Amino acid sequence: MTDPAVDGPMAASGSAAAERSATASVPKQLRIGPSWRDASAATGLAVEDPSTGETLAEVADATPTDGLAALLAAHHSQASWALTAPRVRGEILRRAYERITADSARLALLITLEMGKPLADSLWEVGYAADFFRWYAEEAVRTDGAYATAPAGGGRVLTMRQPVGPCLLITPWNLPLAMATRKIGAALAAGCTAILKPAEQTPLTALALTEILLDCGVPEGVLNTVTTSDPGPLVAAVMADPRLRKVSFTGSTDVGRILIAQSASQVLRVSMELGGNAPFLVFADADVAAAVEGAVLAKMRTNGEACTAANRLYIARDIADEFTERLTARLAGMRVGRGTEPGVETGPLIDAAARGHVDRLVRDAERRGARVATGGHTMPRAGHFFEPTLLAGVPADALMLREEIFGPVAPLITFDDEADVVTAANDTQYGLAAYIYTRDLGRALRVAEQLEAGMVALNQGTVANSSAPFGGIKHSGYGREGGREGIGDYLAIKYVAISLPD
Ligand code: NAD
């Protein structure tokens, strides 16, 4: 999973000294208003290395009281940040883009240590994350409005877009840097202040990012970061407070549903980036070698723990044997290990529960008749490792075709007919990403139009691009991040009715 844009000269060091220095470099307190401060609870939040089970560090464990203090700080800074010139806001984000890029080795190491994925994947994430700041630095100066003559004459219609107000940004552990920059970049560019609530498994990356943003000139109170082991009560308290105006959430559909319900009491603006169950369609006319490499990327990047991960591989019968053979060889040859070790291509799952979930799905598919082409088992070593796995002939009733696998397991299904495979691909509650491999342009566009997904990748194994609108439909959520659309989620439209008699 290498990317020429970020690999090579930037290679991060995984030595024990570099690891200690990376974790030691991160602030361990909450950032609220003008200062770093301890949480009001006496206990700390331990951060675990998923490849060893050992504790890497302990950070502050915020309570609902701390969450409300962060909201108060965001509320107090809102008016002045909204009045800060868009160019100034953009230049802060641009500086942060440059700082993150220059600091990519340390940041990648932090991601790998607390999340587990290989350094090459973490370096890719750092590049992707930084790019959201570059993009939103450019978008900050383009929050335009409109001026029109009323159709009946005698008046004018002026529309403007203004920041919605303080935002709560809740991020997952699988891309701890990019999911944070994707939200913070849009919020700050739009003129909103923010409270960042990172996942409990990966607070170090969020704290390092917060420090970078402050160094780059984000004024006090504009970004507040609260790490907590118990997100439910803290988030509920902040969302019940009328000073909050928006919540942006990336995570599971189950938690998303809870937050949508909670958002009703204060009628909050809501953006939801939720789970996925991406189909990966390879037609008989496709370049099979390219499709296999695309499948490896779409399935295995971030250890398979990605919302856009290919969850179901539908392969045309004519090329199924060749595709299976090639993908089996690729997965069987992948080096599994601690993400910091040189050459490792896939790391551990985030925790024991995640590995148990993957194991249950594999056992279920086997019981229903799937054949294990490679892998299929947890690995007998410390950490939460599962073998890169390919299952062939997975029957339609297998649970893994309905649920997010969130691990290095690829279920393969053969198909004969275009209409049937589109129907099968759409037979899911989710609608985030989908992948198509074909050389037939007509088919590519026809199928892309028919797939129920917010994003479709054509002849490539990734949809990640800061300049494109990322998001889903159905139970994968609503709202868009990135692209020209992303900043709109943080802006409210105001219309001014102007009397101007002719
Ligand atoms: P999760 O839903 O368990 O946690 C996500 C965030 O929500 C974390 O910050 C967590 O602390 C917080 N949280 C958990 N319970 C909460 C509650 N009751 N109230 C308020 N906050 C709560 O998800 P996860 O396991 O961290 O991440 C994996 C999920 O995220 C997958 O379903 C994946 O598909 C999804 N995801 C989606 C996207 C996307 O852009 N659509 C991107 C990455 C991950």
Side-chain angles (χ1 to χ4, degrees):
M1 252 66 50
T2 55
D3 184 326
V6 288
D7 294 330
M10 295 287 208
S13 164
S15 73
E19 291 179 24
R20 275 195 302 277
S21 132
T23 51
S25 70
V26 178
K28 309 291 188 306
Q29 294 172 294
L30 311 176
R31 178 70 195 198
I32 298 177
S35 55
W36 293 98
R37 57 161 106 156
D38 290 334
S40 52
T43 52
L45 163 60
V47 189
E48 185 189 290
D49 177 343
S51 66
T52 61
E54 285 167 15
T55 298
L56 291 165
E58 201 169 272
V59 302
D61 192 2
T63 64
T65 305
D66 300 315
L68 289 171
L71 175 58
L72 187 64
H75 170 70
H76 279 146
S77 306
Q78 178 56 55
S80 61
W81 185 241
L83 286 173
T84 301
R87 178 73 75 204
V88 173
R89 298 200 299 256
E91 281 169 355
I92 292 172
L93 290 173
R94 175 71 201 194
R95 279 199 292 282
Y97 157 73
E98 279 159 15
R99 265 291 303 279
I100 291 172
T101 306
D103 204 5
S104 46
R106 180 182 69 109
L107 291 167
L109 186 52
L110 281 172
I111 294 172
T112 290
L113 287 173
E114 61 181 356
M115 188 274 160
K117 64 186 163 193
L119 275 177
D121 280 5
S122 296
L123 276 167
W124 169 82
E125 183 187 338
V126 174
Y128 180 46
D131 219 39
F132 283 106
F133 283 170
R134 175 162 60 174
W135 176 257
Y136 283 116
E138 292 156 353
E139 287 297 285
V141 294
R142 308 201 200 292
T143 54
D144 54 0
Y147 182 80
T149 302
R156 298 293 181 268
V157 175
L158 172 67
T159 53
M160 60 183 83
R161 300 202 290 167
Q162 298 178 308
V164 295
C167 302
L168 176 60
L169 313 177
I170 305 174
T171 52
W173 47 263
N174 60 345
L175 287 108
L177 193 64
M179 298 301 95
T181 60
R182 200 161 80 174
K183 296 187 191 303
I184 294 169
L188 267 52
C192 298
T193 59
I195 302 141
L196 174 64
K197 209 291 305 156
E200 48 276 30
Q201 296 90 339
T202 53
L204 296 175
T205 307
L207 292 165
L209 173 65
T210 303
E211 188 178 44
I212 287 174
L213 280 159
L214 294 168
D215 284 355
C216 291
V218 171
E220 56 187 52
V222 170
L223 175 65
N224 306 277
T225 300
V226 286
T227 52
T228 179
S229 63
D230 192 8
L234 184 149
V235 167
V238 173
M239 287 180 66
D241 189 302
R243 289 170 294 196
L244 189 75
R245 291 318 316 141
K246 177 180 170 68
V247 61
S248 175
F249 172 76
T250 297
S252 61
T253 298
D254 284 347
V255 173
R257 280 195 193 94
I258 295 172
L259 299 183
I260 292 168
Q262 283 178 9
S263 72
S265 76
Q266 296 301 332
V267 194
L268 296 175
R269 286 276 293 261
V270 179
S271 299
M272 288 284 148
E273 299 285 355
L274 307 177
N277 180 6
F280 188 100
L281 277 50
V282 186
F283 289 92
D285 61 66
D287 176 338
V288 177
V292 168
E293 286 315 305
V296 172
L297 185 62
K299 178 73 254 181
M300 298 300 290
R301 182 183 264 167
T302 301
N303 302 337
E305 297 167 305
C307 52
T308 52
N311 212 61
R312 299 168 287 153
L313 275 55
Y314 293 100
I315 314 300
R317 191 171 304 280
D318 288 357
I319 54 162
D321 286 348
E322 183 190 354
F323 185 94
T324 308
E325 207 173 293
R326 285 179 184 247
L327 187 57
T328 302
R330 283 291 274 115
L331 297 188
M334 282 188 106
R335 183 144 176 233
V336 184
R338 189 160 187 256
T340 51
E341 292 162 14
V344 159
E345 292 170 282
T346 186
L349 296 174
I350 190 70
D351 55 27
R355 189 174 65 171
H357 166 76
V358 171
D359 192 52
R360 263 192 309 282
L361 291 180
V362 173
R363 304 283 77 84
D364 168 79
E366 256 191 321
R367 250 195 323 277
R368 294 175 200 265
R371 175 177 69 81
V372 177
T374 185
H377 298 283
T378 60
M379 297 175 74
R381 53 177 288 176
H384 316 295
F385 290 90
F386 199 91
E387 294 169 337
T389 298
L390 180 64
L391 294 170
V394 178
D397 60 352
L399 291 177
M400 64 170 60
L401 302 187
R402 321 232 138 251
E403 297 179 19
E404 254 188 316
I405 299 170
F406 239 58
V409 174
L412 204 143
I413 309 109
T414 48
F415 72 88
D416 296 296
D417 178 71
E418 181 185 306
D420 289 348
V421 77
V422 170
T423 302
N426 288 339
D427 184 19
T428 169
Q429 64 179 356
Y430 294 107
L432 193 61
Y435 302 83
I436 305 169
Y437 273 79
T438 177
R439 289 183 171 109
D440 178 338
L441 181 62
R443 167 181 282 151
L445 295 178
R446 192 167 57 238
V447 174
E449 286 185 9
Q450 290 170 358
L451 286 173
E452 293 167 4
M455 299 171 286
V456 178
L458 181 55
N459 294 324
Q460 61 180 44
T462 176
V463 291
N465 187 332
S466 66
S467 68
F470 189 106
I473 59 171
K474 295 162 76 176
H475 292 202
S476 293
Y478 41 74
R480 290 294 179 270
E481 293 189 320
R484 295 190 60 196
E485 295 79 358
I487 199 166
D489 274 20
Y490 293 83
L491 293 166
I493 293 172
K494 180 183 283 175
Y495 141 61
V496 182
I498 304 169
S499 166
L500 191 63
D502 296 325

